[in-house]
Amino acid sequence: MTAPSDPPSPRKPRSTRKPKAATEVAADGAAAPDAAARDIAVAGLSAAQAKAEHGALAAEIAGHDRAYYQKDAPVISDADYDALRRRYEEIEARFPKLKGADSLSEKVGAAPSEKFGKVIHQVPMLSLANCFSDTEVEEFVARVRRFLAFDGGEELVFTSEPKIDGLSCSLRYVESQLAVAATRGDGAEGEDVTANVRTIACIPNEISGADVPDIIDVRGEIYMAGADFEALNERQAAAGKPLFANPRNAAAGSLRQLDPSITASRPLKFFAYAWGEASSLPADTQFGVVEAFARWGFATNPHMRMAASAAELVAQYHAIEEERARLGYDIDGVVYKVNRIDLQRRLGFISRSPRWAIAHKFPAEQAFTQLEDIEIQVGRTGALTPVAKLTPVTVGGVVVSSATLHNEDEIARKDVRIGDTVVVQRAGDVIPQVVRVVEEKRPAGAVPFQFPHLCPACGSHAVREVDPKTGKEDAVRRCTGGLICPAQMVERLRHFVSRNAFDIEGLGEKQVEAFYDWGLIASPADIFTLEERNARSLQRLENREGWGKTSAQNLFSAIASRRNVAVDRFVFALGIRHVGETNAKRLMRHYGTVEALEEAALAAVMPSDTHPKGNEAWLEMTGIDGIGGVVAEAVVEFFEEPNNREVVAALLKEVTPEPMEQVASESPVAGKTVVFTGSLEKMTREEAKAMAERLGAKVAGSVSAKTDLVVAGPGAGSKLEKARTLGVSVITEDEWFALVG
Ligand code: IVH
């Protein structure tokens, strides 16, 4: 274990990045692996499990690709990403039917962002397969030999070179002049970064040499040296700007600037190591072409070597690993390539990577330390994220004092307890993680961690959603007190005033944030009491920066004009999970008023052992066309939280929701309760229900005194009888059509 007194790293501690970002991604369904299912070896997965996991993994990987390639802000370590990708590929290898045209295994990276012009790569920019052990290197060499039918003593030479942790770039030279520079993008199409690349000192604008072909795409890695990265971050800090998490992000962020003068001010470098389209090549080996690159004026990596066996490759791997800390730039492994280009051509590609090359990755860096506490952070969307507070320890040259624990299940699975000695890991980048507990060192009396069921920021209930289809709980526990939770407040207020919600002119996201910071608005109802409070206030709005008499008055008028708002907008504005505009409309078409919705939510009993199907109120809500268990559960949980009911009540004192503007208001069945019974011949039961609801009717499953109309088809039995006894009007299906036109 490394003692806390270790010399602090000159680099900024990793904790400058907020671990909560990781689970915000998880909250969107991008990062939280389903620990239970993923514990099953691929060989043990059923076809259905494989299909479900394949889909989930694809979404998760795509989310990480976007974070990494488009936002330059990865949220998991490379090692974890590689693990996800491996599992995905293993699943596809065992269940090839899952391999559709848009399989991720055929793609590299993420589609280019909209910021830059697009460049189609004439020869795709591919990725590399990874391996992690000496045995896998032997397997790679054996595979290549087998493929080439080199089963005798044929000489097979490989190159080895550091795998630079930067971003790859393709530089097209036409008649020796730099014509286009492009990022990798999704491998097929990248971003045009020519203007920015021209500012990089070690990339020649013109290349020279007798063997320079007419056209050649020189490819390689743009990176930032460690010392330059630190200096840049110091400048960022001095200017009050956000710090970059690591040199790779700094390089990517610097290259993908709209203003080339910013790129020019950033110390970027480039190593040339590959090529794309070329009208001819200056040599017939990998080594020879890279030597030519050096002659033409490119920087090439001085640690490139040749090797004739797996054992030699592994020896070079260890030599580079040994040198790693002194290189002055980040590398994350060693790349091996078949040296002869004719053999490379014969070997070709398999999905997204060449058969003739492989990346031998370094293991993630780890250290032992003590878990001092588990802090629960609440994200902007209410996700509760456990963060390990650690005795500071140096891992791979960076001081780590907190690490993500992902979620409740991960804590339980690893049985992480406060006081434990834990192994922390950081893999070249992003958020450190707690890998495992050293159980032998557990202090006496350490108890299993109880994940809170109340939000630490506001005290509201925090719940885990259950997927009604699988019956499985969501990995993330969420605070239900969105409307009072300080961690979520700004986000909720922003939503509240957004265009499709209350849409108050002059009160946009920025103003809401400022009002929150100034202590003027802490809950939606405060918006409507702002004018009155302002009149009594010592620090009037009109005297604050950016405001004047007219703008303040205009704002108050705009607010006043929204005291009447359509009820579906009102419900949408509450920001109930899963209740977007459409679901708000569906709910309010059925319930009509906020009070009725609240009453229904409080009456509803969700399915449980005692009520396997839930009670009548639950069935009524889930029976609304388009409203399933997930939405209903969110509505019930929202209103079950007393804090939310208080906010709604306060708001209803200020605002009068108006009935929805609906086509239905003129329909003859608007507001009526209709029951369909017997067999319908012109429409299915679902269609009938949807139609009635569209027309503003409520559809009930049973006849009662509240029923206005029964539509009876042939074979109608007890419901029809009951309607007759109660004197409810009964019509046929044809009469229904005649009635509603
Ligand atoms: S060769 C067709 N050599 O690693 C294969 N790639 O994981 C072309 N990388 O996209 C790649 N150092 O961004 C190659 N010495 C090196 C590399 C290297 C870093 C990156 C490159 C590539 C990624 C694949």
Side-chain angles (χ1 to χ4, degrees), residues 108 124-130 161-169 184 220-221 273-274 332 335 337 349 353-354 356-357 359 361:
V108 180
M125 287 185 82
L126 296 163
S127 185
L128 290 169
N130 290 327
E161 66 198 79
K163 183 169 187 303
I164 318 297
D165 199 5
L167 64 151
S168 49
C169 195
R184 180 166 70 170
E221 204 82 354
Y273 55 63
D332 58 350
V335 183
K337 298 171 187 168
F349 297 84
S353 31
W356 46 266
K361 302 279 281 273

Side-chain angles (χ1 to χ4, degrees), residues 315-337:
Q316 292 176 2
Y317 168 88
H318 289 300
I320 291 177
E321 189 180 33
E322 162 73 14
E323 196 61 25
R324 184 179 182 186
R326 290 183 293 275
L327 291 175
Y329 48 86
D330 279 359
I331 64 170
D332 58 350
V334 177
V335 183
Y336 309 137
K337 298 171 187 168

Side-chain angles (χ1 to χ4, degrees), residues 12 231-244 266:
K12 298 280 173 216
L232 171 64
N233 258 357
E234 307 235 315
R235 290 202 300 278
Q236 292 282 108
K241 294 192 179 146
L243 302 188
F244 293 104
R266 304 277 174 82

Side-chain angles (χ1 to χ4, degrees), residues 317-395:
Y317 168 88
H318 289 300
I320 291 177
E321 189 180 33
E322 162 73 14
E323 196 61 25
R324 184 179 182 186
R326 290 183 293 275
L327 291 175
Y329 48 86
D330 279 359
I331 64 170
D332 58 350
V334 177
V335 183
Y336 309 137
K337 298 171 187 168
V338 168
N339 193 34
R340 269 171 54 185
I341 295 169
D342 61 328
L343 298 183
Q344 290 186 357
R345 290 206 181 105
R346 274 177 62 193
L347 283 154
F349 297 84
I350 176 160
S351 65
R352 64 189 182 113
S353 31
R355 238 188 231 104
W356 46 266
I358 199 162
H360 188 176
K361 302 279 281 273
F362 293 132
E365 291 173 275
Q366 299 189 333
F368 294 96
T369 189
Q370 233 89 43
L371 177 69
E372 295 180 352
D373 198 5
I374 296 177
E375 196 179 283
I376 307 291
Q377 294 186 346
V378 189
R380 287 187 301 119
T381 60
L384 266 50
T385 306
V387 176
K389 292 291 157 190
L390 306 165
T391 305
V393 62
T394 307
V395 192

Side-chain angles (χ1 to χ4, degrees), residues 438-592:
V438 185
E439 262 181 53
E440 310 81 72
K441 294 201 174 172
R442 173 164 286 161
V447 289
F449 182 71
Q450 293 296 323
F451 202 93
H453 288 201
L454 294 180
C455 169
C458 73
S460 298
H461 289 98
V463 297
R464 292 174 67 171
E465 285 175 4
V466 176
D467 182 332
K469 286 201 195 97
T470 59
K472 270 176 37 183
E473 278 190 322
D474 188 2
V476 179
R477 187 174 284 279
R478 272 171 208 286
C479 166
T480 57
L483 290 169
I484 61 130
C485 182
Q488 300 172 68
M489 187 55 77
V490 170
E491 199 56 26
R492 292 306 181 104
L493 286 170
R494 274 200 199 142
H495 171 77
F496 188 85
V497 299
S498 66
R499 195 127 80 82
N500 298 333
F502 267 72
D503 189 23
I504 300 172
E505 215 181 313
L507 192 58
E509 292 188 6
K510 261 206 271 162
Q511 290 80 2
V512 155
E513 228 175 301
F515 286 11
Y516 183 77
D517 289 344
W518 293 337
L520 293 177
I521 294 180
S523 151
D526 295 343
I527 295 172
F528 296 93
T529 58
L530 189 64
E531 183 172 10
E532 188 205 318
R533 285 182 291 122
N534 189 57
R536 291 185 273 116
S537 163
L538 291 179
Q539 196 182 5
R540 300 273 193 102
L541 179 62
E542 44 272 42
N543 300 328
R544 289 186 188 259
E545 206 191 314
W547 290 89
K549 230 179 154 95
T550 320
S551 54
Q553 203 42 59
N554 287 346
L555 175 67
F556 297 141
S557 317
I559 292 174
S561 75
R562 304 306 278 164
R563 282 186 189 270
N564 300 97
V565 67
V567 69
D568 54 316
R569 275 181 181 257
F570 184 103
V571 170
F572 170 63
L574 296 178
I576 304 170
R577 220 169 126 66
H578 303 300
V579 180
E581 283 172 83
T582 310
N583 283 340
K585 282 199 170 71
R586 287 175 176 147
L587 288 164
M588 298 325 289
R589 220 175 264 141
H590 186 86
Y591 292 110

